[in-house]
Amino acid sequence: MELRDMLEMVRTGEVSVEEAEKYFAKKPFEDMGYAKLDTQREMRSGYPEVVYCSGKADEHLLRIFETLYRENGEVLGTRASKEQYELVRQSIPEISYDEISHILKIERPGKQRKGLIAVCTAGTADIPVAEEAAQTAEYFGNQVERIYDVGVSGIHRLLSKMDTIRLANCVVAVAGMEGALASVIGGLVERPVIAVPTSVGYGANMGGISALLTMINSCANGIAVVNIDNGYGAGYMASQINRLGLRS
Amino acid sequence: MELRDMLEMVRTGEVSVEEAEKYFAKKPFEDMGYAKLDTQREMRSGYPEVVYCSGKADEHLLRIFETLYRENGEVLGTRASKEQYELVRQSIPEISYDEISHILKIERPGKQRKGLIAVCTAGTADIPVAEEAAQTAEYFGNQVERIYDVGVSGIHRLLSKMDTIRLANCVVAVAGMEGALASVIGGLVERPVIAVPTSVGYGANMGGISALLTMINSCANGIAVVNIDNGYGAGYMASQINRLGLRS
Amino acid sequence: MELRDMLEMVRTGEVSVEEAEKYFAKKPFEDMGYAKLDTQREMRSGYPEVVYCSGKADEHLLRIFETLYRENGEVLGTRASKEQYELVRQSIPEISYDEISHILKIERPGKQRKGLIAVCTAGTADIPVAEEAAQTAEYFGNQVERIYDVGVSGIHRLLSKMDTIRLANCVVAVAGMEGALASVIGGLVERPVIAVPTSVGYGANMGGISALLTMINSCANGIAVVNIDNGYGAGYMASQINRLGLRS
Amino acid sequence: MELRDMLEMVRTGEVSVEEAEKYFAKKPFEDMGYAKLDTQREMRSGYPEVVYCSGKADEHLLRIFETLYRENGEVLGTRASKEQYELVRQSIPEISYDEISHILKIERPGKQRKGLIAVCTAGTADIPVAEEAAQTAEYFGNQVERIYDVGVSGIHRLLSKMDTIRLANCVVAVAGMEGALASVIGGLVERPVIAVPTSVGYGANMGGISALLTMINSCANGIAVVNIDNGYGAGYMASQINRLGLRS
Amino acid sequence: MELRDMLEMVRTGEVSVEEAEKYFAKKPFEDMGYAKLDTQREMRSGYPEVVYCSGKADEHLLRIFETLYRENGEVLGTRASKEQYELVRQSIPEISYDEISHILKIERPGKQRKGLIAVCTAGTADIPVAEEAAQTAEYFGNQVERIYDVGVSGIHRLLSKMDTIRLANCVVAVAGMEGALASVIGGLVERPVIAVPTSVGYGANMGGISALLTMINSCANGIAVVNIDNGYGAGYMASQINRLGLRS
Amino acid sequence: MELRDMLEMVRTGEVSVEEAEKYFAKKPFEDMGYAKLDTQREMRSGYPEVVYCSGKADEHLLRIFETLYRENGEVLGTRASKEQYELVRQSIPEISYDEISHILKIERPGKQRKGLIAVCTAGTADIPVAEEAAQTAEYFGNQVERIYDVGVSGIHRLLSKMDTIRLANCVVAVAGMEGALASVIGGLVERPVIAVPTSVGYGANMGGISALLTMINSCANGIAVVNIDNGYGAGYMASQINRLGLRS
Amino acid sequence: MELRDMLEMVRTGEVSVEEAEKYFAKKPFEDMGYAKLDTQREMRSGYPEVVYCSGKADEHLLRIFETLYRENGEVLGTRASKEQYELVRQSIPEISYDEISHILKIERPGKQRKGLIAVCTAGTADIPVAEEAAQTAEYFGNQVERIYDVGVSGIHRLLSKMDTIRLANCVVAVAGMEGALASVIGGLVERPVIAVPTSVGYGANMGGISALLTMINSCANGIAVVNIDNGYGAGYMASQINRLGLRS
Amino acid sequence: MELRDMLEMVRTGEVSVEEAEKYFAKKPFEDMGYAKLDTQREMRSGYPEVVYCSGKADEHLLRIFETLYRENGEVLGTRASKEQYELVRQSIPEISYDEISHILKIERPGKQRKGLIAVCTAGTADIPVAEEAAQTAEYFGNQVERIYDVGVSGIHRLLSKMDTIRLANCVVAVAGMEGALASVIGGLVERPVIAVPTSVGYGANMGGISALLTMINSCANGIAVVNIDNGYGAGYMASQINRLGLRS
């Protein structure tokens, strides 16, 4: 409902001043004191609020899951520990947990997955971050193709998969160490590439800063970068882009 | 033409072994020695090759502009100095130069601009980078809405423009200093936001690293980041995304 | 007593040379060898000395608490572990401990809280730092309003609380990740904002350096920054400022 | 005027829906396209908008000065070059320029300066930044005491000035190189200290990062830090604090 | 001559104690006070001493060139300015200067070039560094193949040149920006790759640190890295390696 | 087999179009889904694929070892934990583990070691990294001389070993803390020096960055650097270089 | 014995060629394979070799202690763990361990301590580093005065101790957090000050880098800096300086 | 005069209260407003105040030179430009300037130089910094031996000079690039070594940070470090140490 509509109804008396005041003052979130849950988020942006589990106090986590499940009928939690899974399962037995991606979720059944997002990794150790991206995108209703261990030190592995990658509306390139995968993919496809640096590596990788810098300085076109190990962020943005490609 | 077709023609003799060898060996670029111009780029990716002018030797720059203009009928050069403009103009008088964005270009007339990209800046000093993004996007056939000087230190300026921003398929958020603009926009729109940190500021901005870190660490969803002052990269990726939104 | 008064008394003989020498040589601290407790601190600055518990040897911590309690009738310790609480409680049973803020204290009863300080956080994970600030300020006799989980990725949550925030003499803005909260608040209030970066986040947050840089580079007016996770420092300075606002 | 009042008037017809819509949409700034001047800033925050001159295009700078002068009757510009002074003087002959602080301003005559802010520097080379702070504070109606060249390598110089410094409601400590001045002052006064690191020094001072880190890590109480060389920011916040000390 | 031989001759009287003392004390360099020229270097290592011209005082530079030319019959200087060329030419008219590589040299005629070193660049802007490497290697008697502008954003350009690159005993990979070229080449050849990061790029390239980190963190085998823009160092080490490949 | 040969056979019918298509499409790796093993690596580069064990999931590690052992008859794994050794031993009892270098391997018996590589360390704490280099080189068929604890703080220890070091085709210099060993060796030998910075040290060594910078900035000729603690990388490249020295 | 003397004796036959060869070839260290112990160190430099225990393998540590004890009659080990103490005590029961400084030693009885070194700390948490310095200096025969917890946030504590500090030939200033103590002392004494940054602090102290930068950038004269937490290094150099002050 | 003496005289009336008050309040510096000259410095520390010329305003510089010359009969200025020399010469014609060290001074004639300080450099480009150290030490009455261009890439040059270096009471080691010189010297002498990193180098030398880190992490004993290019600081501290060695 638009501002003008509301004001028109105030004028005609359909809506009282008190009701309109409440409407304008209405806070689009549920205030739990320690947290302010954005329960109107899906209505507003098309995506329900997602829970970043790491570091949340047990009691807070539990209530947030219960509230969002009640409001939205499904919940996605990222960076959950196995202990958090055990905790939430006691209250919501239908919840499921994936040890690789650390995703804790209840998903509405029968969700259709549309379009195509390709999620690529340079090495095997980058898979947990890639799975966070892939499963996030799937939760939001996107079809995902996984293409793992195709890093640039053996470029023929990547080249052999280009036909599949080129079908996607958006590519997520996940790589640690020197992080060159995103540049090479960026030079080979015409779709947007979301680059995810990972903390995989050692020594001068500086916890992923090295891969982040590589990706930010990429000489290829059509690449943008999210935070180190931020599979969720890449999956989210890939969903937005893939959804645009579906509008037909 | 597919690999199989070519091989079939070799078998039947339609194509000689020598010709097929040449075909397989054919380099999809024009080798100028000091540079290898990707003249098939537009055919392959939908975007013609763009020239990064800064630091190019005069003679190289001139020949690259002449070659691409001859092949593509238009050229876009970024980070061109006024001296480079004077140089190229002597050979290609119809070239134009914009002092704010430092873009040097000849554009095919009658190009239609479709969809919508919103380009926002935090301050006035971010405009040169924003213009590089906006003019790149326009060159690639996208419609652009400019919304400048709406940084978070006076959030009401941004809020008053949200209706326009929400119409876009993609938002480019350009900001230096603390770079918080991208996070705030990311929380207010449902479309992908491409964040461009700028080197605007002083002291602990460390040439834009500060804004880059802010944007990479954004707690908002749907944000990815390009290099400091990389308006071109943001304009390019925004074009890819906006184009996806047009397929209907 | 002023220098001149003392000298006058030396001249008249009211004070002997030996006594005067002792007076001039008097050290305004209690020398415990491994520590020099500033027992005259409250007299001098209006604030009693506070104990930074982390890393103190058990015996040292215990004696420092005992000494300060004896001299001042109350003690505030920050960054205390639960083990330190158990230790000190054996000697001072009336001591209390807060697990969220890690504050260990005995407070004089009936303390009146004056003025108003607003303590805001971007997310739920920033609350421990915010509580250190808030409880420090309360210990020093200031009234505190807590406004948590109002980060910029959902700016409407913050805007809905501005009326309360604007009543404060000073605002403490606590945020990790990209740390943009301080800038947005700084643009909305006319009181000094003390920004506290936190180490909340991951990847390129570099343990809070990212949020620190954001806040230091803020384009908003009236913001100054304390160390990462330094809730105590922010609470202390907010007390000084709020106290100034009370002089009427 | 409050939201409720406006809505009441819509109900009674005193205000038409169109007018009310305009009211809700009204932007509290003057939109110049390339800039959005906050002409209601003084009304809102008690401080008129200030111009950061460095890097502004000549035409933009001139119009911004003219607009703010017309609206507010006075203007303060920081980081102005001598060339910018010559430019603006042609349009506004009564403007004045200070070569040390690089402040360009027209100030309403007869302004009264109240309270007290102490501005201290470690060395002679820190004076330009200190003057930016001092003159900003004076422009906003505060009395300022300058205490220069009292760095910690000769602590007796600082100690000899403590009586004056202790009279201030707020102290601004400006220092480059190792930046220890703020800590020492923080240990000697009971008022808030705003620390300004400067880029003075060489080698491992890293353009002021060294002094910034020193100040952020200060073990003294009551210190908060602004950006390197940000005299304006310190002067602004000192004004806010000093003003609080005047409410009686 | 070995230590034992000398001592034997002392015993027999063939060599006097004074002569032996001089022998043991003999310094294998020409002491010019401000510099100690290693005139025995070629005898010892197979490579004559090379002059790093940048920053040398005119008089020092001139004398060093004269001395080395006299001793060795040829001289190689790197990072020379055009002014230094003009200076040295007045004394040694047969000297030559290359404006791209900034190499200033007199080379013995008829030098044979053996083996093969491939010098590759990612872009056109990396050519000056690559030429420093290539010309250094040629001066030391190695054959060099130049393969420029084959960066990873258009991987087909590199792949089309692999047959040539695979013939070399050693590959020098020169790249700025994200510096991914070395990793890709490292995965495609079985010879050692010397990676040279360049300062080409802008923003978060941090003067070449970004490319350096990429190369140091390379996941490909057989890559080692020299300093940013250090074409000379790469050319030198490539010579050592290529020479090993010639021993047959 | 060359491209031309294959095409010739297609023309003559020796090879059918279907077979040729398969040939051109053939992927030279074994796709295990989570990993793509390069089983043709030894054929292509002369070195079989090596396993980086750290962080691999148990099941993945086991299958990779089994597959490579089956294909190549030997396997080398680096950075293996003792737990991984216990795991793999259950399936491949003949595997051996070295606790110092953390190398887990099965080696074909009777392998001949040729040429000479010298592996030097500055201190005792650098030995684990040096052993990774030495044992990698030995696995690839190179003879290795170990020269440990010859750091520059007691230069006489190094000088007494120079005769041995000078016999090698390649020197690996392993050093933490200030990492000066590589420079000193580089000035004393005429063979390539591969410098390996280690994370040995504390404080401002920043996890090895200090030694890395020292080595990258070395003023000696013929030095290139690998990642911090990357003994494997140094051993690999030393093998390539030593092998070149054997071609006679 | 000088080179010339030895050669003279070879000539006269007092020393045979074989003996002289051995003399010239004699390595002034005991080669244990994994370590090369400098058993002539005390003779050469006046200080016996000291053992850095951290990270040494048990067997290595034990043998090194046994060897040095046998050769020198006393041993000093730094950064020893309690476990290492238990280990060595089984072989050398007379060894003693200090839990604060982590020093493990056997000291020759009756050692006289001369001159004076002042060791100062900013806080209580800096004491372990200070004790490493103090006990090292005492082991080397210097008298030490400890002055702890005199940091700049309460400058009066330091000023009250200046008379004692001024008696020393050398001052060691140990401080973490902002590390300003060294500058203040440097301005108050005329003797050399060795500054030791510590890793004490949190947040932007970056493990002591902050204090290191403060001390390196000190504006006071007569200050030089050792590594973070390097009490041993400071104690060693203070010994060298104090010893110079004793030569009378 | 001691505190007690003064107080005694107050008691007896020898000194009036007013005079004593003045005595206690007396500031041991000449307050010039913009600077506070420490004219009692020589009396207090044995070294007159030295002027850091860089960045001083012309008028300030001139007056400071005039004042110090008048008070002390000599002046030493560091980092002076040629323009500053021309300026001061007009007022003080007897002043002299050295273009290499940038030292501007008037020195009392007939000053005796005692003891010995060795000043060593790694390369020719480090000489300006070394000269600042050497000439500072000479100005303060120390004898200096210069040993230049003895860096570790040709260690024999350094070894040939060790006899001279070992005669000094203190060694100043000046080096840029990888800065390994200090470690090697530290291992060869028994006197304190003051290490001066220089900004000489390029690329990853990061303006001297690389050499600074090398020196701070030195594994040799008896080394402490001053700021990058801080020849003055090294010369000053070397003077303090050499002076201690003279007390006999």
Side-chain angles (χ1 to χ4, degrees), chain F residues 66-142:
Chain F
E66 288 168 352
T67 305
L68 289 173
Y69 187 27
R70 191 188 62 228
E71 296 290 324
N72 299 329
E74 63 179 3
V75 204
L76 181 74
T78 60
R79 310 237 169 167
S81 66
K82 200 160 186 183
E83 289 67 33
Q84 292 179 318
Y85 165 51
E86 302 295 353
L87 173 86
V88 177
R89 190 167 58 161
Q90 290 177 343
S91 166
I92 310 176
E94 58 271 44
I95 203 146
S96 73
Y97 180 64
D98 175 49
E99 292 200 16
I100 289 175
S101 64
H102 299 103
I103 280 183
L104 183 64
K105 73 172 172 193
I106 323 160
E107 196 170 358
R108 272 195 296 258
K111 203 180 279 181
Q112 204 189 343
R113 292 180 184 158
K114 298 182 182 162
L116 190 64
I117 294 167
V119 177
C120 308
T121 74
T124 305
D126 303 312
I127 291 178
V129 175
E131 279 299 315
E132 191 183 277
Q135 296 181 28
T136 295
E138 287 172 346
Y139 180 81
F140 289 146
N142 305 278

Side-chain angles (χ1 to χ4, degrees), chain E residues 235-247:
Chain E
Y236 188 99
M237 191 166 176
S239 299
Q240 291 178 314
I241 293 172
N242 185 41
R243 184 176 297 191
L244 275 171
L246 299 177
R247 294 198 313 192

